[in-house]
Amino acid sequence: MGFYVLRRLLALIPTLFIASVIAFTVVRLVPGDVLDLMLSENVYSSGAPEDRAQLEQALGLDKPLYQQYLHWAGDALQGDLGESLWRNTPVTGEIAARLDVTLELGILALLIALAIGLPIGIFAAVRQETLGDHIGRTFSILALAVPNFWLGTLVVILPALWWGWSPPNKLVPFFENPLENLKTFLLPSLILGTSLSAVIMRMTRTMMLEVLRQDYIRTAWAKGLRERRVVLMHAVKNAMIPVITLVGILVPILFGGTVIIEQIFRLPGLGQLLLEAVSTRDYPVITGVFLVTGVVVMLVNLLVDLCYGYLDPKVRYDR
């Protein structure tokens, strides 16, 4: 198992390198020029066209792209992601100040998705073609069909119009007041988690149906074991392997959903920071957010791989 973990850790190195190259180059292909924006708003100059070259040199954008990347990558290895082009503040500090908001929203949404999707999927498979199965499948279709950004917009607008109530948007640190903190995150995480639970529910149901038809399950039934023991001790563990893999795939989708949900509910997380940076073409901030998000996604997938190896011992030797 230790060698298996070592191989997975070593595989992160080239993946992180490729992710950093993509994050650094793609943001500079976004239409629009930060130099034109700064000159038009008189941030660093009087706005005269001849000041463009001086501004470009001051920001370090006059060097070839590969030199800019090597300089940035060298600093990033030391934990320095550069400075914001507009605010002259360290990007690392800005991301650190907002990362906990996005992580809390994502973790709560994922927990809600698992809490809804797993029990319904298991129940729907065990009670196939019953009323409960049909209700569960109908719920999953509705959750997949309704966009979370549309539902979030309705949750914010309609109660305000009808009852004069709006979701709490005052962010209180969790360790300062856990109850107030959870009140702020409850609705956005519930909306995100419900949409993800539909995918988890359908995968869980499909895999449970496949496992329940296996010979060893029929043998367990023939031995007279109780239904709960057959389902929970024998079927669920084997059905969870593809579901855990699916969770790793859903993490990037979850981060993408937080960008919109944070904007709707005015949560000061990485999603809101990213939208602000994109609108101003703040390259270091965009690159930093992409890189940190990529690292989190890779760590989650590493955890998924480790869980996969725990549930299926053959993986430790075959991969």
Side-chain angles (χ1 to χ4, degrees):
M1 188 64 179
F3 184 65
Y4 174 78
V5 174
L6 180 61
R7 283 188 298 168
R8 286 291 164 269
L9 290 174
L10 292 176
L12 292 180
I13 297 176
T15 306
L16 182 59
F17 169 71
I18 295 173
S20 67
V21 172
I22 294 175
F24 188 85
T25 56
V26 169
V27 297
R28 283 156 176 78
L29 300 178
V30 176
D33 192 342
V34 65
L35 298 176
D36 293 335
L37 288 175
M38 287 184 170
L39 290 172
S40 64
E41 297 188 14
N42 299 324
V43 176
Y44 286 98
S45 69
S46 61
E50 58 269 15
D51 292 331
R52 180 183 177 89
Q54 183 180 356
L55 176 60
E56 187 177 27
Q57 183 179 7
L59 297 178
L61 300 178
D62 58 326
K63 300 176 182 178
L65 190 60
Y66 76 92
Q67 290 186 9
Q68 295 182 42
Y69 171 76
L70 292 177
H71 177 73
W72 173 82
D75 291 340
L77 290 175
Q78 303 175 24
D80 182 8
L81 297 177
E83 293 185 349
S84 169
L85 298 180
W86 292 84
R87 295 180 291 273
N88 290 329
T89 54
V91 174
T92 305
E94 291 194 19
I95 292 177
R98 297 175 180 246
L99 181 60
D100 58 337
V101 176
T102 300
L103 287 180
E104 183 176 357
L105 177 60
I107 291 173
L108 288 176
L110 187 58
L111 291 177
I112 290 174
L114 293 172
I116 296 175
L118 291 180
I120 295 179
I122 295 172
F123 177 81
V126 175
R127 298 291 185 265
Q128 185 183 11
E129 299 301 336
T130 62
L131 178 61
D133 181 24
H134 292 304
I135 293 175
R137 283 189 287 173
T138 301
F139 165 78
S140 67
I141 293 174
L142 287 175
L144 285 172
V146 177
N148 53 37
F149 63 86
W150 178 79
L151 186 59
T153 304
L154 292 184
V155 169
V156 171
I157 293 178
L158 294 184
L161 293 177
W162 294 342
W163 306 300
W165 178 88
S166 60
N169 53 29
K170 182 181 179 181
L171 185 61
V172 180
F174 179 80
F175 294 103
E176 181 178 320
N177 192 329
L179 184 59
E180 290 298 323
N181 177 272
L182 292 177
K183 284 182 180 179
T184 303
F185 283 95
L186 178 60
L187 280 177
S189 59
L190 185 61
I191 292 171
L192 268 178
T194 301
S195 61
L196 293 179
S197 69
V199 184
I200 295 176
M201 176 265 175
R202 294 183 72 85
M203 175 62 78
T204 303
R205 180 182 181 274
T206 301
M207 297 311 304
M208 281 293 296
L209 288 175
E210 181 178 338
V211 170
L212 289 173
R213 298 189 181 101
Q214 299 298 315
D215 291 338
Y216 67 89
I217 296 296
R218 285 196 288 266
T219 302
W221 287 118
K223 288 182 177 180
L225 297 179
R226 294 182 179 181
E227 180 184 49
R228 175 175 296 186
R229 183 174 180 83
V230 173
V231 173
L232 298 181
M233 299 298 295
H234 297 278
V236 169
K237 182 177 180 180
N238 292 284
M240 286 299 102
I241 296 175
V243 176
I244 291 177
T245 305
L246 176 65
V247 171
I249 298 174
L250 290 177
V251 169
I253 301 175
L254 180 61
F255 269 99
T258 59
V259 174
I260 302 176
I261 293 297
E262 285 178 4
Q263 191 70 15
I264 293 175
F265 287 89
R266 291 178 288 180
L267 297 174
L270 289 184
Q272 193 176 85
L273 177 64
L274 179 61
L275 288 178
E276 294 172 358
V278 170
S279 64
T280 58
R281 306 298 186 270
D282 200 339
Y283 299 142
V285 175
I286 301 174
T287 306
V289 172
F290 280 169
L291 182 65
V292 171
T293 303
V295 170
V296 172
V297 170
M298 284 188 285
L299 291 178
V300 170
N301 279 276
L302 173 64
L303 181 61
V304 167
D305 277 346
L306 298 181
C307 293
Y308 204 91
Y310 170 75
L311 293 174
D312 187 2
K314 294 185 297 182
V315 176
R316 307 173 197 172
Y317 307 102
D318 296 340
R319 298 175 67 179

